[in-house]
């Protein structure tokens, strides 16, 4: 018999190992073979493995706590890669690699801060961009006011905090080639108001291609991708899902760009790519053509970057811009929300991917959007029943208790955005929704009570790429001013930690590979300075991440 070289066993020792496995919730040692967990328990429990294999006992984490590698199941790598190329002037504070941006919450402070960045900007390098503008905090700034208050002779773009809107001054419109509505493609005109210099929701399809040469310049994009990778690592994250590949252009082109950035052995995380059906609709593809293209990309596989059999639908508008669709009585000021894509245009793509066996994820924010999405799921199930479909409602900003009961009955799951409560809960109580609806945003507690799996995501850059802070947000329901709202909808500490580990893995269909520390799963760990169960809910937001272990390879932070 030929001799087969056996892999080397590494046994990591820790002060405590939080496994997120009910049958063995705590351990102090974990053995790893070829990136896979071989055994969990005490050092003595791993003795049979150590007797059978050449091994190393690694005590680097003896004073630290290990938990499963954290998961962010919904973000967009290209967006932070683009937006971190510009200053953040937002109503919430941001801690980015190498730079911090304080919160800016009043119109006067917004104008003052942007003027400061404008003064420092080198216009030889192109237009000025800033991200984080929000009219509720910063006041209305239509085109003419940007001209008078900020700059009339230089191109200025204000990117809305939602990412779903961009405001431009007169010079910027001319720079982009939009001096008349006839310059706007027909498919985007409903989302474009040239008088206000505003491109929103579907209107972004007109302006984004004009901006890409600026942000996609190779050196700038490479730096932005490196920043995004640093954000992932510093958040203690070992798996992310790009929940909308194709948000800035053709799906395969974006997939290739992400592969080039992260399909390397030195990258300590993996990326799941999820094709955006809207990207195919905008290209004029049929649903069948979309499925065929995605199937080919799925077959390609990958070590760090891969596309699995998932697809993303877009339903109603952004939560941060109050573009989401509300049932009667609607918004207090009477404005109407928007459909990112009209439901009748979304359904053929949903049907095609559903019939092909894909798991669907639906961007859904308001209760009217929720109604439309659940109606769609109902029709899909009537057309072709599927067990364990895990149709995922993404964000789930404002819904009703009855809708929560219905989604549970339909077998759906939720990947939620808890930062809505943190930043917008008190503001939306005054503007748009009123206290009752605003305080009941993000009904994660009642979902958990119904047995619905709930994950938490950053939708970065909509929230910090820091799962422990998201867990704090969902479990504390504290707003930025410290007020607790909708306490009955809070997750428990344990539920919140499961929402960034085991339940996040379930929603991505990776439950057999990641999400907990048990024999047979990938050896992905997050290294913490302290025990999240010991520091409690209030301590989660500031719990220090020391590094990660990705498939058995430590990657500590400097």
């Amino acid at each position: 018999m030929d001799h087969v070289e056996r892999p080397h066993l590494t046994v990591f020792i820790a002060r405590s190992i939080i496994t997120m496995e009910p049958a063995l919730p705590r351990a102090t040692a974990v053995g790893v073979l070829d990136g896979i967990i071989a055994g969990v328990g005490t050092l003595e429990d791993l003795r049979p493995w150590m007797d059978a294999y050449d091994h190393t006992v690694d005590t680097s984490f003896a004073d630290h706590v290990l938990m499963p590698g954290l998961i962010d199941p919904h973000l967009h790598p290209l967006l932070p890669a683009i937006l971190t190329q510009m200053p953040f002037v937002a109503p919430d504070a941001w801690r980015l690699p190498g730079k911090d941006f304080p919160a800016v919450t009043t119109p006067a402070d917004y104008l003052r801060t942007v003027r400061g960045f404008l003064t420092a900007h080198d216009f030889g390098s192109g237009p000025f961009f800033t991200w984080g503008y929000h009219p509720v905090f910063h006041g209305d700034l239509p085109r003419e006011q940007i001209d008078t208050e900020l700059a009339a002779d230089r191109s200025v773009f204000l990117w809305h905090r939602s990412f779903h809107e961009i405001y431009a001054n007169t010079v910027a419109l001319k720079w982009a080639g939009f001096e008349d509505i006839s310059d706007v493609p027909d498919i985007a005109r409903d989302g474009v108001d040239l008088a206000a210099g505003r491109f929103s929701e579907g209107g972004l399809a007109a302006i984004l291609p004009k901006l890409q040469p600026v942000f996609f310049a190779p050196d700038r994009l490479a730096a932005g991708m490196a920043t995004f990778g640093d954000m992932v690592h510093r958040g203690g994250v070992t798996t992310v899902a790009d929940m909308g590949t194709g948000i800035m252009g053709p799906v395969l082109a974006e997939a290739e760009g992400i592969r080039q950035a992260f399909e390397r052995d030195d990258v300590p995380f993996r990326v799941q790519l999820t094709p955006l059906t809207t990207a195919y609709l905008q290209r004029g593809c049929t649903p069948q053509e979309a499925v065929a293209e995605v199937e080919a990309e799925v077959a390609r596989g990958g070590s760090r970057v891969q596309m699995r059999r998932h697809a993303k639908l877009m339903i109603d508008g952004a939560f941060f811009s109050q573009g989401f669709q509300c049932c009667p009585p609607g918004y207090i000021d009477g404005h109407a929300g928007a459909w990112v894509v009209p439901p009748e245009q979304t359904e053929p793509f949903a049907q095609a991917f559903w019939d092909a066996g894909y798991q669907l994820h639906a961007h859904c924010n308001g209760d009217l959007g929720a109604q439309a999405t659940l109606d769609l799921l109902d029709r899909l199930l009537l057309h072709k029943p599927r067990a364990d479909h895990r149709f995922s409602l993404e964000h789930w900003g404002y819904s009703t208790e009855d809708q929560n009961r219905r989604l549970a009955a339909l077998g759906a799951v939720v990947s939620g955005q808890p930062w809505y409560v943190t930043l917008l809960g008190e503001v939306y109580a005054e503007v748009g929704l009123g206290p009752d609806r605003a305080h009941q945003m993000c009904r994660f507690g009642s979902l958990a009570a119904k047995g619905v799996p709930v994950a938490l995501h950053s939708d970065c850059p909509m929230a910090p790429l820091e799962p422990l802070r998201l867990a704090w947000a969902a479990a504390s329901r504290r707003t930025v001013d410290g007020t607790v709202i909708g306490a009955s909808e809070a997750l428990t500490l344990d539920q919140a930690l499961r929402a960034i580990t085991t339940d996040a893995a379930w929603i991505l269909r990776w439950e057999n590979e990641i999400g907990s520390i048990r024999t047979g799963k990938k050896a992905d760990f997050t290294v913490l300075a302290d025990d999240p169960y010991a520091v409690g809910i209030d301590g989660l937001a500031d719990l220090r991440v020391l590094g990660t272990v990705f498939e058995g390879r430590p990657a500590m932070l400097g």
Side-chain angles (χ1 to χ4, degrees), residues 39 41 44 46 76 155 170 185 196 220 239 258 260 272 295 327 333 399 498:
E44 188 58 33
L46 292 175
H76 305 282
S155 296
T170 302
R220 296 186 67 170
T239 302
I258 294 170
Q260 289 180 8
Q272 175 178 300
E295 282 282 278
C327 291
D333 64 2
S399 61
R498 292 187 179 280

Side-chain angles (χ1 to χ4, degrees), residues 387-398:
D388 192 25
H389 55 79
R390 302 189 205 178
F391 187 108
S392 177
L393 299 150
E394 303 284 327
H395 307 321
W396 207 239
Y398 177 71

Side-chain angles (χ1 to χ4, degrees), residues 68-85:
L70 302 181
I71 301 167
D72 192 324
H74 182 136
L75 46 67
H76 305 282
L78 273 180
L79 302 195
I82 290 168
L83 296 180
T84 53
Q85 297 177 31

Side-chain angles (χ1 to χ4, degrees), residues 207-411:
I207 189 70
L208 288 180
K210 309 288 186 176
L211 309 182
Q212 287 180 359
V214 177
F215 298 116
F216 285 9
D219 55 340
R220 296 186 67 170
L221 187 59
M225 282 294 202
T227 298
F228 167 73
D230 198 9
M231 293 166 69
V232 174
H233 190 206
R234 290 183 180 279
V237 178
T238 54
T239 302
V240 301
D242 177 6
M243 195 52 68
T245 310
I247 198 169
M248 295 290 290
V251 170
L252 296 191
E254 282 196 15
E256 184 57 31
I258 294 170
R259 286 182 187 277
Q260 289 180 8
F262 302 119
E263 189 60 63
R264 306 192 318 268
D265 286 345
D266 62 333
V267 172
F269 57 87
R270 64 184 64 83
V271 183
Q272 175 178 300
L273 304 171
T274 311
L276 184 64
T277 58
T278 310
Y280 290 105
L281 177 64
Q282 290 170 344
R283 282 171 49 197
C285 297
T286 67
Q288 291 70 34
E289 289 169 338
V291 172
E293 182 173 290
V294 172
E295 282 282 278
E297 184 68 16
V298 169
R300 184 177 177 185
S303 171
R304 295 297 191 274
V305 181
Q306 58 183 271
M307 190 174 285
R308 293 193 171 191
R309 303 187 87 227
H310 298 249
K312 171 78 175 296
L313 311 175
M314 296 296 288
I315 309 298
D316 59 335
F319 205 82
F320 276 96
S321 60
Q322 291 197 356
F324 55 96
Q325 292 280 21
C326 288
C327 291
Y331 291 97
I332 293 172
D333 64 2
H335 84 270
W339 300 109
V340 177
V341 178
E344 63 272 14
Q345 294 182 28
T346 299
E347 188 156 350
F349 285 88
Q351 188 76 69
F353 279 98
W354 177 272
D355 288 350
Y358 278 63
Q359 181 179 340
L360 299 181
H361 303 258
H363 162 110
C364 177
N365 272 312
D367 56 345
L368 184 57
Q371 179 178 305
T373 308
L374 294 174
D375 287 348
L376 170 61
L377 175 56
D378 215 348
R379 291 191 295 273
L380 293 172
L381 285 165
L382 286 171
H383 168 77
K384 185 176 182 177
R386 280 175 55 186
D388 192 25
H389 55 79
R390 302 189 205 178
F391 187 108
S392 177
L393 299 150
E394 303 284 327
H395 307 321
W396 207 239
Y398 177 71
S399 61
T400 67
E401 173 66 7
D402 296 316
Q403 289 170 337
N404 275 2
R405 292 181 66 185
R406 187 181 178 199
L407 78 86
L410 290 171

Side-chain angles (χ1 to χ4, degrees), residues 92-134:
D92 46 342
W94 281 81
R95 304 179 300 198
L96 300 178
K99 51 190 171 184
D100 292 343
F101 295 104
V104 177
T105 58
T106 68
D109 283 346
Y110 182 82
L111 291 173
R112 176 184 55 78
T113 304
V114 173
R115 286 183 191 127
F117 285 119
L118 268 167
T119 300
H121 182 69
D122 176 9
F123 277 85
S125 63
F128 171 81
F129 293 87
T130 182
W131 176 80
Y133 168 64
H134 199 302

